[in-house]
Each structure stands twice: as structure tokens, then as C-alpha cells.
């Protein structure tokens, strides 16, 4: 250890152990632990203890009073000696009320067990548990005792320790551990109710994953028994996990899928006019236990349905999902649940009537069902259910009872169904069902864009942006949109009082304009004068008080430049110059960073990069010769791109400086093959430019660079250590003063041990 640290550590230990001198900054404690762990892991733990015998006692004292208890405990036990710390681990596992402390103790026990089994007997520690080291035997005996306990917390802690072991270690000794403990784990299923069911599920799935594609048959049997013993709510995560396993027997997969589907089967049966839920696979019929759970209370019903929908949503895109996939029944179930929730269902059974009472107006179930409905859009199937899907989505979009979040989910699900692949590949227009639905949807969207709730207006704008991005070139969509008031309303929302809405309106209007779908409104100051969208967005960039709309404008302008928007292609240099001038004055670092992104797009275009769609770059070859390079550099100077980039290079916000550094490195690399900077023309006053940059770096940003010649720019670029600056910017903000001695000085200062001038705060 550094001598300076050795002198400071005893005083710090005494200060931290004094309850009258609390340390307010947990970050310092965290950094202290990180450093001490590094020291001990480097083999200095014995020396550290000899020099500071009070350290272990101190850390055990702190563990009872600090939020960082788990890390402090783990370190203190490691410091005190792995094998000597087992008894303390057991005590914390049994008696400590903190989940973090218990988790740390459990992790340390597993680590100790692994180290013991990796000892001289490694390679021989198979199923013969009697041959294990005494240390390992002691730990396993403690786990066995916990599994036999009648106290659920102790059972849960033992199961969690085993889950950690099987999740992180895969030695031969793990097989022996499972052979020894699996009978005790299976015996838990005989209790009523099954204790620590969630922890039991985690353990069984962890064991199955660690065993690979061919575990022993006893594990599959245990999984099947567990699946049948757990309650409907508890069985869902296990069923999903089983369906994700490799090499799982088909019978077990069928059982697991059936358990996942049971809540939806009950819903379908409750709403059916005829008996029996058609189309669901074997084992999915809702049993009395599931029905009882659904009807027991509103919280139980909501929880079970939300979990079932979420698990099926996760399962749907997986390659190992069950086949055939029951698309039509699942669509029917999702639509039925949504009808129960909005009160439009007409059940004929007592169960259906009670479900209506429980679910009506339940936003949580509505959100889960809409998410699941959106996922189901990826599947193909008959058109009749699709009609039902569009009908229920329209009901939710129209309903005044739909909450803002439910409306957002309804818009998202609608988008997914509208954008599903057409039935006829290569078709240039919409399918009949989406086209018909669109005619009903746009009036609803108009209404939602006028909603008094800003979240609703925002969701409508996001939907419009995404559907326009995908359908902007389709004749049916263009005709319907231009016949509506949506483009004009979107333009009006550029002046919305809520900044989030203004930002979304900027994005939507920019997308509409890119597709030629925007409507030019009259200027509010001069109603008879048409104001161009470009001017309106520049006005927002220069004057909006909130950052979100200005960031959105910069993103739109970058897309316009990249895509060759008509308003930009008329005079790209003037456009870029005006945008960079506005961005350079912006106090929002994200606006300035986006300005550098726009500058990079322009730079690529004037250099004739492949893939550029801007008319400005048509005459430039892909690899520009020196003469063309000089022309490109002059264009960059005319738009004052270098003034913007050099200022950004010394920006106080690191992401801006990093982006500028990368841009200048890119330009220097492109220009490097063309020899001396004098080839670019002129006799540059390089010294004047470098002097200005030095003043900028010192914080004097007032003086402009003035007119720049390409030769001066290239000379300055070659003189700058851009690689070194990039490395410096990549370092953490506290890299200069994060030494252990500095840390100890800061902590001592925070508890008043050092005088003010001795502190080394960073």
C-alpha cells in the first residue's frame, strides 16, 4: 500500500467508527470499498489487516448503519478470510432483515463453496458428497437444514443460494450437489401451500439451463409436478421458462403451454354462446382453480390476466414457441378481454357477468391486452378476425373513457396492424381492410389532435409520424390524408403550449413535408401571407424556450439534408449556414451535437460520398481529386462549418467535443492523400487561426475566426493533436484526481478530520 494511504487509513477508520461523525456521501464509501477490494484481491489483505486491525471491526460496524450494506458485508467477509467467514454468512442469511445483506451473504457462500471444490480434489468432486472438503460439507449441511425448515424465509434463502450456484458455476461437483439436494427440493411440493414458490421456480429453471439439452429424467418429472402443484399465478413464469428450454419433452411442453393458455380459455368460455373454446390446443381448457382465481378478487383477476398476456407476448416471437400457433383463438381472447374491459361484451353466463363487473374500466388489463394484440399482428390468418381487431381498436380510439396511456397503446397496436405485410407481395397500395379502416381512423385522429390532454395530442402525432413514414408513398393513404384536416392541425400544433407536443409536431410536420403531404398555413402575424415550413422551423430553432422542439428541428433538418428535401436542394449552402449559425448559439448541448451530425452529412455530400442523394453532390466523383477537394473545402468554409466545428471542439459538454473531434478526424483522413495543404490554394495565416483556437480553448470564445481559406484549415487540422484530444475526452471526468490517497483525503475532510486546505476534492 502507498505510504501516504497507510498514514491516512487509521484516522479514517476511527472517524467512520465514530457514530458522532457520519459520512454523508455514500459515493465516497463506495469508492473506498472498490479500492480496498482491489487491494485485497491483489494479495495484500494480510498486510492490510496487520497494519489496520480495526478495519474488519469497522466494516462490520458500518454494515449495520449504511445503505451500502451488501457491498460492505461482502468485502468485510472477504477481508476476514473466506473460510473463516462461513458462520457469519449463515447468521446473516438467517437473521438479517435486509434482502441486500442476505443476497451478498448468499453469493459469498456460493463463492466459498466453489473455491473449496476447486481445491486439491478438483476433478474428483462428483456425486460422491462424502468425499467433499469439510468446508463444502458445512455449507451444504446448512442449506439442507434451511430446506427442511418450516419458516418460508429460510427456505427461500436456501433456494436463492442454490439458484446463484447453478446460474454461475458449472463444474462436475454441481451434479453431485443436485443429486444430494433434489429430494429435499421435491419434498417442498408436498407442502400446502408450496413455500417460496417464486424462488423454487427460479431454482428449477436455473438447474435445467445449467444441465444443457439433456438433463436427467428426474428433473423433467420434478418440473411437471411443480407445474401441476403451483397456483395459476405462480405457474405462469415456470410454464414460460419450460417452453424456452432446449430438449424439453413434448408432453411437458404441451402441459406448460396449456397452463399459459388457461386464463384466456376461461375468458373465451365465459363469453361464448356455444360451449367449449374452439381452436385451443389440448390441455388449455380452463379448470375450476383458474376460474376461482379469476373470480376471487379484482386484484387476483387483473394480476392473472396481465401475467398470462405478458407471458404469451414474450413467447410469440420466439423460434421455440409451440407449433401450430393458435392465432385465431388468441386473437379472439384478446378482443374478448378488451370488450369485457370497455363494457361492450354481452356474456350469457354467470362467470361472464362477474368478469364484466371486475374488468370494466380496468386500464391495466386494457394496456396488457392491447400490447398482446399488437404482437399478434405479425401472424397471418383469416380476414374475419382482422375485421374484429380493427373494430375493437376503433372503439378504444373513439371512446372518451380511454385513458391517455390506453389511447397510446391503442395507437401503437393500430400502427402494427396497419403496417403488417400486405397479402399480395409487391402490391403498391393498401389492402382493402386497412384502406377501409383508414377512412374511419382519420376523423378520429383529427379529434385526438384537438384533445385538451397533451398526452393524447402527443400520442396522435407520434402515430401520424410513423404511419406517414411507412405509407407516405401509397396513393390510397395520400388521398385520404390530404382530404382530411390532419396536415393542417399538425402544422397548428407547432405552436402548442406543451413543449413535448411541439417537438412531436415538428417531427410529424417534417415527415409530412418529406412526403409532400404538408399544408402551408398562413402566418399568424400576416394572415394573408404564406410562410414556408422551412422558415417556421428555423424560427422555432432560434426562439423556442424549450429544448425538445429545438432538438426535433435539428433532427428534421438533418433528415432533410440527407434525403435531398426540395426546400434544401434549392440552396444547400445557405440552408446549412443558417442552421449551423442558429445551432452554434444554442445552450442545449444536444442541439449543438445534432448540428455536428448535420455538418457531417453536408461534409460527406460535398466530398461525393457514396449513397448521397443530395443534388448538390451530383457532379462530384466518389474520390475527389485535389482540385475538387479544394472546391469542397471552400464550400465548407463558406457555410462556416469549420468555425462551428472548431468551437465545438472546445465545448464544455464532452459529447459535443467528442463529436466534433470525430468529424475533424474524418475530414483530415479524407484530405490526407492529396499532399500539402498549399495545394488547396491561398497563403493561409495559420498562426492567427491557431492563436484564436488557443484563446477558445482557454475559454475566450468571443472572437470569431473570420474568413478562412482551405489551406489554412488543412494546416491547422494537421497541427492539432486530434487523436490525443479524442483519448482525453474518452477518459472519465475524475481521471485526474481519483487516486486512493486523494479519496482518503476527501473522506477525512468530509468528517472534519482534515483542515480545509488539506482536502483534495475533485
Amino acid at each position: 500500500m502507498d505510504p501516504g494511504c497507510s498514514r491516512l487509513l487509521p484516522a479514517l477508520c476511527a472517524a467512520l467508527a465514530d457514530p458522532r461523525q457520519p459520512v454523508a456521501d455514500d459515493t465516497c464509501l463506495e469508492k473506498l470499498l472498490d479500492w480496498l477490494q482491489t487491494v485485497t484481491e491483489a494479495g495484500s489483505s494480510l498486510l492490510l489487516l496487520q497494519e489496520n486491525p480495526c478495519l474488519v471491526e469497522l466494516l462490520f460496524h458500518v454494515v449495520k448503519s449504511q445503505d451500502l450494506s451488501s457491498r460492505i458485508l461482502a468485502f468485510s467477509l472477504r477481508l476476514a478470510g473466506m473460510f473463516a467467514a462461513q458462520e457469519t454468512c449463515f447468521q446473516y442469511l438467517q437473521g438479517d432483515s435486509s434482502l441486500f445483506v442476505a443476497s451478498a451473504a448468499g453469493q459469498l457462500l456460493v463463492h466459498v463453496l466453489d473455491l473449496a471444490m476447486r481445491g486439491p480434489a478438483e476433478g474428483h468432486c462428483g456425486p460422491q458428497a462424502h468425499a467433499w472438503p469439510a468446508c463444502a460439507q458445512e455449507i451444504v449441511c446448512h442449506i439442507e437444514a434451511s430446506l427442511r425448515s418450516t419458516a418460508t424465509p429460510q427456505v427461500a434463502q436456501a433456494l436463492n443460494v442454490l439458484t446463484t450456484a447453478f446460474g454461475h458455476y458449472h463444474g462436475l461437483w454441481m451434479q453431485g450437489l443436485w443429486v444430494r439436494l433434489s429430494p429435499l427440493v421435491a419434498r417442498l411440493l408436498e407442502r400446502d401451500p408450496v413455500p417460496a414458490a417464486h424462488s423454487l421456480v427460479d431454482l428449477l429453471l436455473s438447474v435445467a439451463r445449467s444441465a444443457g439439452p439433456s438433463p436427467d429424467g428426474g428433473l423433467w418429472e420434478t418440473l411437471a409436478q411443480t407445474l401441476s402443484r403451483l397456483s395459476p399465478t405462480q405457474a405462469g413464469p415456470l410454464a414460460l421458462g419450460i417452453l424456452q428450454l432446449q430438449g424439453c419433452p413434448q408432453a411437458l411442453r404441451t402441459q406448460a403451454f396449456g397452463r399459459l393458455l388457461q386464463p384466456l380459455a376461461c375468458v373465451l368460455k365465459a363469453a361464448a354462446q356455444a360451449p367449449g373454446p374452439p381452436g385451443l390446443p389440448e390441455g388449455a381448457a380452463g379448470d375450476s382453480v383458474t376460474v376461482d382465481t379469476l373470480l376471487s378478487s379484482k386484484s387476483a383477476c387483473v394480476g392473472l390476466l396481465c401475467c398470462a398476456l405478458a407471458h404469451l407476448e414474450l413467447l410469440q416471437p420466439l423460434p421455440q414457441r409451440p407449433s401450430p400457433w393458435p392465432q385465431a383463438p388468441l386473437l379472439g381472447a384478446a378482443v374478448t378481454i378488451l370488450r369485457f374491459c370497455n363494457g361492450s361484451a354481452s356474456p350469457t353466463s354467470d362467470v361472464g357477468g362477474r368478469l364484466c363487473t371486475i374488468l370494466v374500466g380496468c386500464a391495466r388489463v386494457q394496456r396488457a391486452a392491447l400490447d398482446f394484440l399488437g404482437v399478434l399482428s405479425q401472424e397471418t390468418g383469416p380476414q374475419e378476425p382482422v375485421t374484429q381487431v380493427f373494430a375493437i381498436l376503433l372503439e378504444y380510439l373513439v371512446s372518451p373513457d380511454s385513458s391517455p396511456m390506453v389511447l397510446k397503446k391503442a395507437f401503437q397496436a393500430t400502427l402494427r396492424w396497419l403496417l403488417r405485410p400486405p397479402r399480395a407481395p409487391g402490391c403498391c397500395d393498401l389492402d382493402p381492410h386497412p384502406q377501409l379502416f383508414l377512412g374511419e381512423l382519420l376523423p378520429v385522429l383529427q379529434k385526438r389532435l384537438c384533445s385538451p390532454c397533451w398526452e393524447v395530442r402527443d400520442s396522435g402525432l407520434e402515430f401520424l409520424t410513423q404511419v406517414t413514414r411507412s405509407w407516405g408513398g401509397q396513393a390510397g393513404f395520400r388521398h385520404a390524408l390530404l382530404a382530411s384536416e390532419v396536415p393542417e392541425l399538425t402544422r397548428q400544433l407547432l405552436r402548442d403550449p406543451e413543449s413535448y407536443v411541439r417537438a412531436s409536431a415538428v417531427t410529424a410536420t417534417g415527415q409530412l413535408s418529406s412526403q409532400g403531404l404538408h399544408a402551408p398555413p398562413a402566418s399568424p402575424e400576416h394572415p394573408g401571407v404564406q410562410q414556408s415550413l422551412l422558415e417556421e422551423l428555423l424560427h422555432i430553432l432560434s426562439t423556442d424556450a424549450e429544448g425538445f422542439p429545438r432538438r426535433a428541428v435539428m433532427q428534421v433538418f438533418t433528415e432533410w439534408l440527407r434525403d435531398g428535401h426540395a426546400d434544401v436542394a434549392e440552396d444547400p449552402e445557405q440552408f446549412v449556414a443558417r442552421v449551423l449559425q442558429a445551432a452554434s448559439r444554442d445552450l442545449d448541448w444536444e442541439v449543438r451535437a445534432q448540428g455536428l451530425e448535420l455538418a457531417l452529412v453536408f461534409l460527406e455530400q460535398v466530398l461525393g460520398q457514396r449513397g448521397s442523394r443530395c443534388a448538390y453532390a451530383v457532379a462530384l466523383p466518389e474520390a475527389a481529386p485535389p482540385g475538387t477537394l479544394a472546391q469542397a473545402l471552400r464550400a465548407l468554409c463558406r457555410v462556416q462549418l469549420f468555425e462551428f466545428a472548431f468551437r465545438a471542439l472546445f465545448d464544455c459538454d464532452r459529447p459535443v467535443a467528442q463529436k466534433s473531434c470525430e468529424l475533424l478526424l474524418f475530414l483530415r483522413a479524407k484530405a490526407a492523400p492529396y499532399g500539402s495543404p498549399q495545394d488547396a490554394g491561398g497563403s493561409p495565416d495559420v498562426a492567427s487561426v491557431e492563436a484564436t483556437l488557443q484563446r477558445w480553448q482557454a475559454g475566450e470564445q468571443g472572437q470569431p475566426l473570420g474568413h478562412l481559406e482551405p489551406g489554412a484549415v488543412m494546416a491547422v487540422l494537421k497541427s492539432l493533436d486530434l487523436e490525443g484530444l479524442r483519448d482525453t475526452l474518452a477518459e472519465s471526468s475524475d481521471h485526474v484526481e481519483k487516486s486512493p490517497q486523494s479519496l482518503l483525503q476527501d473522506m477525512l475532510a468530509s468528517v472534519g478530520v482534515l483542515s480545509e486546505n488539506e482536502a483534495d476534492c475533485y
Side-chain angles (χ1 to χ4, degrees):
M1 185 189 296
D2 180 87
C5 294
S6 297
R7 289 192 299 269
L8 293 170
L9 192 57
L12 179 61
C13 289
L16 291 176
D18 187 349
R20 296 169 299 176
Q21 302 213 39
V23 178
D25 187 1
D26 279 354
T27 305
C28 288
L29 279 173
E30 201 165 1
K31 290 180 179 178
L32 175 65
L33 288 174
D34 288 337
W35 170 64
L36 290 174
Q37 284 188 337
T38 303
V39 171
T40 57
E41 287 167 359
S44 307
S45 56
L46 181 59
L47 180 60
L48 188 63
L49 283 170
Q50 289 173 345
E51 294 176 346
N52 302 278
C54 64
L55 190 55
V56 175
E57 181 181 351
L58 158 71
L59 291 173
F60 273 110
H61 170 78
V62 176
V63 76
K64 289 297 185 180
S65 58
Q66 297 292 338
D67 291 335
L68 296 169
S69 55
S70 60
R71 298 187 67 188
I72 296 173
L73 172 66
F75 167 72
S76 57
L77 295 181
R78 188 177 303 173
L79 192 66
M82 287 291 190
F83 301 103
Q86 291 175 49
E87 189 59 38
T88 309
C89 284
F90 297 155
Q91 293 171 2
Y92 274 98
L93 277 172
Q94 291 172 348
D96 199 282
S97 59
S98 168
L99 293 176
F100 299 105
V101 173
S103 175
Q107 291 174 22
L108 188 57
L109 275 180
V110 173
H111 189 52
V112 171
L113 181 60
D114 181 63
L115 288 176
M117 303 302 278
R118 278 198 220 164
E122 187 175 20
H124 305 285
C125 297
Q128 295 78 22
H130 60 82
W132 293 359
C135 169
Q137 292 276 14
E138 183 182 355
I139 294 175
V140 174
C141 286
H142 172 78
I143 295 174
E144 288 176 325
S146 297
L147 289 173
R148 293 189 184 98
S149 172
T150 57
T152 298
Q154 275 192 252
V155 175
Q157 288 165 349
L159 293 172
N160 293 339
V161 168
L162 292 175
T163 301
T164 301
F166 283 98
H168 293 84
Y169 302 102
H170 306 286
L172 184 63
W173 63 273
M174 296 297 297
Q175 300 175 21
L177 182 65
W178 180 245
V179 168
R180 177 169 173 174
L181 296 179
S182 57
L184 287 173
V185 173
R187 211 164 293 158
L188 296 175
L189 299 174
E190 300 171 2
R191 304 189 196 178
D192 189 17
V194 176
H198 179 76
S199 297
L200 177 61
V201 167
D202 289 343
L203 171 61
L204 293 176
L205 291 176
S206 182
V207 173
R209 294 186 193 106
S210 68
S214 56
D216 66 272
L219 178 58
W220 298 131
E221 183 179 346
T222 302
L223 284 168
Q225 292 174 352
T226 307
L227 203 56
S228 62
R229 283 283 293 119
L230 295 181
S231 70
T233 305
Q234 295 167 342
L238 179 60
L240 177 64
I242 288 172
L243 291 168
Q244 294 172 317
L245 293 174
Q246 296 181 351
C248 182
Q250 184 57 43
L252 182 57
R253 286 176 57 82
T254 301
Q255 180 189 3
F257 195 38
R259 290 231 66 178
L260 276 186
L261 293 173
Q262 279 178 351
L264 303 192
C266 290
V267 170
L268 284 173
K269 186 176 181 180
Q273 301 296 325
L280 286 175
E282 179 186 355
D287 60 1
S288 60
V289 176
T290 306
V291 173
D292 290 343
T293 302
L294 286 171
L295 301 180
S296 61
S297 67
K298 180 169 184 174
S299 61
C301 179
V302 169
L304 180 56
L305 284 178
C306 287
C307 287
L309 292 166
H311 291 144
L312 289 166
E313 182 183 345
L314 292 172
L315 185 62
Q316 191 275 339
L318 299 180
Q320 63 267 43
R321 74 178 192 187
S323 181
W325 179 255
Q327 174 73 359
L330 290 177
L331 271 179
V335 171
T336 300
I337 290 172
L338 288 169
R339 292 203 179 282
F340 275 129
C341 290
N342 74 354
S344 64
S346 301
T348 57
S349 66
D350 291 341
V351 173
R354 294 175 66 183
L355 281 177
C356 270
T357 303
I358 291 173
L359 293 177
V360 68
C362 181
R364 183 181 167 197
V365 176
Q366 290 173 339
R367 295 195 301 267
L370 287 166
D371 280 340
F372 182 51
L373 192 63
V375 167
L376 291 175
S377 66
Q378 306 307 306
E379 295 294 318
T380 57
Q383 289 303 302
E384 183 180 354
V386 175
T387 306
Q388 297 175 10
V389 167
F390 282 135
I392 192 64
L393 287 173
L394 193 63
E395 286 182 29
Y396 270 80
L397 291 171
V398 170
S399 173
D401 297 326
S402 296
S403 69
M405 183 53 70
V406 168
L407 272 173
K408 185 181 184 71
K409 296 289 186 182
F411 272 124
Q412 291 172 345
T414 300
L415 183 72
R416 298 187 75 164
W417 277 92
L418 286 175
L419 301 186
R420 66 198 304 245
R423 285 183 297 164
C427 179
C428 60
D429 211 342
L430 306 179
D431 282 345
H433 285 288
Q435 182 70 61
L436 185 63
F437 178 63
L438 192 62
E440 300 176 284
L441 175 64
L442 288 176
V444 178
L445 181 59
Q446 288 179 194
K447 178 182 176 182
R448 292 306 184 184
L449 291 180
C450 300
S451 170
C453 177
W454 74 262
E455 293 96 338
V456 174
R457 301 195 300 274
D458 193 59
S459 296
L461 289 168
E462 289 178 353
F463 169 80
L464 176 63
T465 300
Q466 295 175 51
V467 76
T468 303
R469 183 172 287 122
S470 298
W471 276 5
Q474 303 213 9
F477 174 74
R478 297 178 65 86
H479 176 76
L481 186 68
L482 290 174
S484 73
E485 299 178 10
V486 168
E488 183 178 349
L489 290 172
T490 304
R491 189 79 172 260
Q492 292 173 7
L493 290 175
L494 292 174
R495 298 182 291 277
D496 194 275
E498 174 54 54
S499 64
Y500 291 108
V501 178
R502 294 200 301 276
S504 295
V506 166
T507 304
T509 307
Q511 188 62 45
L512 289 171
S513 179
S514 296
Q515 303 282 358
L517 294 169
H518 65 289
S523 170
E525 294 83 6
H526 307 285
V529 179
Q530 296 295 317
Q531 183 183 24
S532 76
L533 179 58
L534 176 59
E535 294 297 329
E536 192 166 0
L537 294 184
L538 280 169
H539 180 73
I540 292 172
L541 178 61
S542 302
T543 62
D544 199 296
E546 298 290 339
F548 296 111
R550 302 199 307 273
R551 296 173 197 170
V553 170
M554 288 302 301
Q555 290 168 353
V556 166
F557 281 166
T558 303
E559 290 180 12
W560 281 9
L561 180 62
R562 184 181 290 116
D563 297 340
H565 188 280
D567 290 349
V568 175
E570 290 179 4
D571 192 344
E573 285 191 22
Q574 183 187 35
F575 169 77
V576 172
R578 295 180 70 186
V579 174
L580 293 184
Q581 183 181 24
S584 67
R585 299 191 299 262
D586 205 291
L587 298 179
D588 190 316
W589 72 265
E590 292 192 44
V591 173
R592 301 195 299 276
Q594 189 64 42
L596 289 163
E597 181 66 28
L598 181 140
L600 179 59
V601 172
F602 184 70
L603 173 59
E604 291 172 340
Q605 290 179 352
V606 298
L607 290 176
Q609 295 297 296
R610 186 189 302 275
S612 171
R613 287 177 280 174
C614 179
Y616 187 80
V618 169
L620 295 176
E622 182 177 349
T628 306
L629 173 66
Q631 295 175 14
L633 290 173
R634 289 192 182 96
L636 299 177
C637 290
R638 285 194 296 271
V639 302
Q640 294 190 312
L641 183 144
F642 293 111
E643 172 111 6
F644 180 70
F646 283 137
R647 282 188 185 275
L649 194 62
F650 308 116
D651 198 288
C652 58
D653 289 290
R654 196 192 326 178
V656 179
Q658 287 176 311
K659 208 170 188 69
S660 175
C661 193
E662 295 297 337
L663 182 147
L664 294 174
L665 282 167
F666 170 79
L667 174 60
R668 193 174 70 180
K670 290 295 178 184
Y674 302 123
S676 167
Q678 297 298 329
D679 295 339
S683 300
D685 186 3
V686 177
S688 173
V689 175
E690 290 180 338
T692 302
L693 294 184
Q694 289 173 0
R695 287 193 291 272
W696 286 2
Q697 189 171 15
E700 303 173 17
Q701 290 267 335
Q703 180 179 352
L705 282 178
H707 177 71
L708 291 176
E709 288 293 334
V713 170
M714 295 312 302
V716 171
L717 281 178
K718 291 192 175 184
S719 68
L720 287 173
D721 182 15
L722 292 173
E723 291 84 0
L725 180 59
R726 178 178 58 187
D727 294 341
T728 300
L729 290 169
E731 292 178 326
S732 61
S733 58
D734 63 349
H735 71 279
V736 177
E737 292 294 349
K738 64 175 183 180
S739 66
Q741 184 172 346
S742 171
L743 173 63
L744 296 179
Q745 288 173 338
D746 290 345
M747 295 188 70
L748 284 167
S750 71
V751 294
V753 175
L754 291 179
S755 61
E756 184 178 349
N757 61 354
E758 292 180 277
D760 184 18
C761 297
Y762 53 89

